[in-house]
Structure formats: C-alpha cells, structure tokens
C-alpha cells in the first residue's frame, strides 16, 4: 500500500513540474511574439499560430496573454521602469517582464513556482504601487479628453423631457445648439 502512495506522489510531482515548464514556456513564447510584433515581423494572429514553441492546445492561451499584455502595455512599461525590474532581475528581458507583470497584476496570477515566479513575487508590491500610481495619473490626464454626449434620449414612458432636462442641468450639463456655421452655441 505504501508503494502506491509513493507512486501517486511521484506522478503528481511530475505533473506539477510539467505544468511549471509549460507555463514558463508559454511566457517565453508570449515574450517572443511581443518582440516580433514590435519589430513588425507579422500580425498577432500569424505570429501566435505559427509559433512552434507551444502546443496547439495552448495557442489560444498564448493569443490571450499577448493581446492583453499589449492592451495594458503603457501601464505595464511604466511600472517596470518605476521598479527597475529588468535592472534588478537580469535574467528577465523587457518583453518577458511585460508578460509576467501582466499575468501577475492583471491576469489570473503566475502559474508554476519556478525561478520566474519567485523573481516576480519579490517585486509584486512595488509593481502594484507603480500600477496604482500610473492609473491615478492616467485618470487625471484623460479627464480633459472625455467626450460628452451630443444628445440625450428620453424614455417618455418613464419621465418627461422637461424633467430629464432639469436632471441633466442639475448634474452640470448645459443645452447647446448649433449656429449657422455649425459651431456649438451654449444656451443657459
């Protein structure tokens, strides 16, 4: 009976090792795809689906990781620079750091428990602070770029036009009309 327990434990640790190797392989492949995208060697889909470094069943995961990392690229790069991650962890390239930072902070967390995860966990708090600061600055910068609605639709089954206009004016909106030249002219 003890032999079967040892065998099961041995199988379980082998599965965990394969999982760790698979996840780090996926992270390295994602970093490679992002590097090639930056150097304009192909489209996201073509680079992902022609990648020979991951199995065909992992291509969807690779596509998701790469596209989401690119989506959050500005915030991730700022956080990496703030923490000086690539200087402190010389074995992690910039593109790999981008992928790992995405997975750690925005994704489902880093898979596996190897060297990459340990390196990233050492800087997790710094990265979280940098991302939080970056988001606060980005929110303030983008307030000036907010596009207000050009018109409001009123559901006459729920309220009247007059009540809707009063509610909007209480919220700080003003009614605008267009001049003959097409320029907005504010009414009070």
């Amino acid at each position: 009976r003890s032999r079967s327990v040892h065998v099961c434990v041995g199988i379980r640790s082998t599965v965990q090792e394969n999982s760790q190797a698979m996840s780090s392989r996926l992270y390295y492949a994602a970093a490679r795809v992002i590097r090639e995208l930056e150097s304009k060697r192909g489209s996201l889909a073509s680079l992902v689906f022609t990648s020979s470094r991951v199995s065909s069943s992992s291509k969807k995961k690779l596509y998701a990781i790469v596209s989401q990392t690119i989506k959050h690229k500005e915030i991730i790069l700022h956080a990496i620079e703030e923490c000086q991650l690539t200087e402190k962890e010389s074995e992690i390239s910039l593109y790999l750091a981008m992928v790992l930072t995405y997975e750690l902070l925005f994704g489902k967390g880093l898979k596996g428990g190897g060297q990459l995860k340990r390196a990233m966990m050492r800087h997790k708090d710094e990265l979280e602070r940098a991302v939080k600061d970056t988001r606060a600055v980005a929110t303030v910068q983008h307030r000036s770029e907010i596009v207000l609605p050009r018109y409001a639709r009123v559901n006459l089954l729920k309220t009247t036009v007059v009540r809707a206009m009063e509610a909007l004016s209480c919220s700080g909106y003003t009614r605008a009309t267009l001049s003959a030249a097409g320029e907005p002219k504010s009414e009070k």
Side-chain angles (χ1 to χ4, degrees):
R1 202 169 233 204
S2 63
R3 275 190 174 157
S4 64
V5 171
H6 290 296
V7 170
C8 290
V9 171
I11 291 170
R12 188 172 298 138
S13 66
T14 304
V15 169
Q16 288 173 346
E17 289 170 10
N18 287 341
S19 168
Q20 289 173 4
M22 190 62 179
S23 58
S24 62
R25 189 177 308 144
L26 187 65
Y27 298 146
Y28 281 108
R32 185 173 152 269
V33 168
I34 293 172
R35 186 185 69 233
E36 290 181 358
L37 272 172
E38 294 276 319
S39 60
K40 307 222 186 283
R41 291 191 182 158
S43 69
L44 174 60
S46 69
L47 291 171
V48 166
F49 293 110
T50 58
S51 176
S52 60
R53 297 186 181 211
V54 294
S55 65
S56 59
S57 62
S58 297
K59 303 245 182 189
K60 287 182 182 179
K61 291 179 189 175
L62 178 62
Y63 187 89
I65 290 173
V66 171
S67 63
Q68 290 301 308
T69 301
I70 292 169
K71 178 180 175 183
H72 296 92
K73 180 181 172 182
E74 289 180 30
I75 294 172
I76 290 171
L77 285 175
H78 186 268
I80 290 170
E81 288 174 17
E82 283 286 314
C83 300
Q84 299 174 338
L85 182 65
T86 53
E87 290 83 17
K88 292 177 183 175
E89 302 291 340
S90 59
E91 72 276 0
I92 298 177
S93 70
L94 176 63
Y95 299 109
L96 183 58
M98 288 171 59
V99 171
L100 295 173
T101 302
Y102 164 74
E103 275 294 294
L104 181 65
L105 301 179
F106 300 105
K108 295 181 179 179
L110 291 173
K111 306 289 187 262
Q115 179 183 359
L116 294 177
K117 183 174 183 177
R118 286 192 298 273
M120 292 302 291
M121 294 308 282
R122 285 193 291 269
H123 303 285
K124 182 179 180 182
D125 293 335
E126 283 181 271
L127 288 166
E128 285 176 341
R129 267 193 303 278
V131 165
K132 193 175 188 180
D133 293 344
T134 304
R135 283 186 170 175
V137 169
T139 302
V140 170
Q141 287 176 348
H142 291 296
R143 295 222 184 213
S144 62
E145 298 172 10
I146 294 175
V147 178
L148 298 175
R150 292 191 288 170
Y151 64 92
R153 182 182 163 277
V154 178
N155 185 345
L156 295 176
L157 297 174
K158 303 268 183 179
T159 188
T160 65
V161 173
V162 173
R163 284 187 183 158
M165 288 178 62
E166 288 172 357
L168 288 170
S169 65
C170 288
S171 298
Y173 289 96
T174 58
R175 184 174 178 192
T177 56
L178 295 178
S179 66
E183 297 293 321
K185 182 170 66 173
S186 191
E187 289 182 11
K188 295 189 180 181

